[in-house]
Amino acid sequence: MTGSEVPPSFRLAYVPGVTPTKWVRIWNERLPDIPLTLVAASAAEAFDVLRGRGADAGFVRLPVDREDLSAIPLYTETTVVVVPKDHIVAAVDEVTCEDLADEIVLHPLDDTLDWERPPGQPAFERPATTEDAVELVAAGIGLLVVPQSLARLHHRKDLTYRPVTDAPESRVALSWPQDATTDLVEDFIGIVRGRTVNSTRGRAQTPAATPAPSKAKRPETGGGTRRKPAGGKSSGKSTSGRNPRAGGSGGGSGGGSGGAKRGKPRRRS
């Protein structure tokens, strides 16, 4: 390696609520010589991190600007409302936005849900972050509607959450710059999509599968040439002839009709 060469590495961005542990583990098992570095980013900052080449790929929340970024949708999260444990909502299994109409519902500036109109009554001031909003819920200031992963991320013992059945849902995707779809990005896409080691778009595994068909065909062709040609022809002719007993003697000449002519004089004598 010369002084100007940089050893390969892979940088993976991820937004709050996404847990990339499983995919990082698989990467380390398959590509132990290429270190993977995690880059934490807010939902709003993640796209600029990718565009600025601060990460090779990243787990983001949709929508994604497809003009310069590629994206593979992965899963959709359940939307929940975070409430104090002694709140009336905690007594039911799920709620609707209409059920929250009379409640103060906090709407943080980093909200990841695409609301046409947030439910409930607006608070006097919008919290700066989801984490700040969770603290206000604990203080009894209002409720908070977020993707379930964020409710888990900011879990507190004095709070709980319930699904909101008709709220917008947040979708998580793997994204990367369109003009930077490198081999390492392809490797990580294969891991996220659940491909095995042999099926991953690894450059080394693909050619190994090509010789298999020719090996399967070779015994069939070779086996045919090793059979006795006369026996093969005789069996084909005797099945169509009317005198099976003449098949053995007629097999030498290969003609079913020749065997029949020699048989007639013998029957007259």
Side-chain angles (χ1 to χ4, degrees), residues 85-176:
K85 281 191 172 180
D86 59 355
H87 194 279
I88 188 173
V89 168
V92 298
D93 293 332
E94 58 186 27
V95 296
T96 65
C97 289
E98 182 63 27
D99 294 330
L100 306 176
D102 297 330
E103 302 283 349
I104 293 177
V105 178
L106 303 166
H107 190 209
L109 295 175
D110 64 352
D111 181 44
T112 60
L113 298 174
D114 187 18
W115 293 105
E116 183 176 341
R117 180 185 179 279
Q121 303 299 316
F124 177 74
E125 186 178 8
R126 292 185 66 180
T129 66
T130 297
E131 186 175 7
D132 293 338
V134 170
E135 295 295 327
L136 293 175
V137 174
I141 304 300
L143 310 183
L144 174 64
V145 180
V146 291
Q148 183 171 310
S149 66
L150 293 180
R152 289 175 174 171
L153 177 65
H154 301 294
H155 172 71
R156 290 175 53 115
K157 291 182 179 180
D158 54 347
L159 300 180
T160 187
Y161 56 84
R162 295 292 183 270
V164 184
T165 58
D166 57 349
E169 296 175 319
S170 178
R171 301 173 66 199
V172 174
L174 177 67
S175 183
W176 66 94

Side-chain angles (χ1 to χ4, degrees), residues 193-269:
R193 283 183 161 171
R195 298 188 189 123
T196 63
V197 175
N198 292 330
S199 63
T200 301
R201 289 189 185 180
R203 275 73 57 196
Q205 289 86 0
T206 304
T210 52
S214 61
K215 289 181 179 180
K217 290 180 180 179
R218 194 171 295 120
E220 297 176 6
T221 305
T225 56
R226 293 190 189 102
R227 292 172 185 162
K228 296 180 180 180
K233 293 180 182 180
S234 172
S235 60
K237 297 291 184 175
S238 62
T239 53
S240 60
R242 292 177 182 159
N243 189 356
R245 290 178 296 176
S249 59
S253 61
S257 58
K261 289 179 182 179
R262 288 194 295 272
K264 288 179 180 180
R266 287 196 294 270
R267 285 198 296 268
R268 287 196 298 267
S269 62

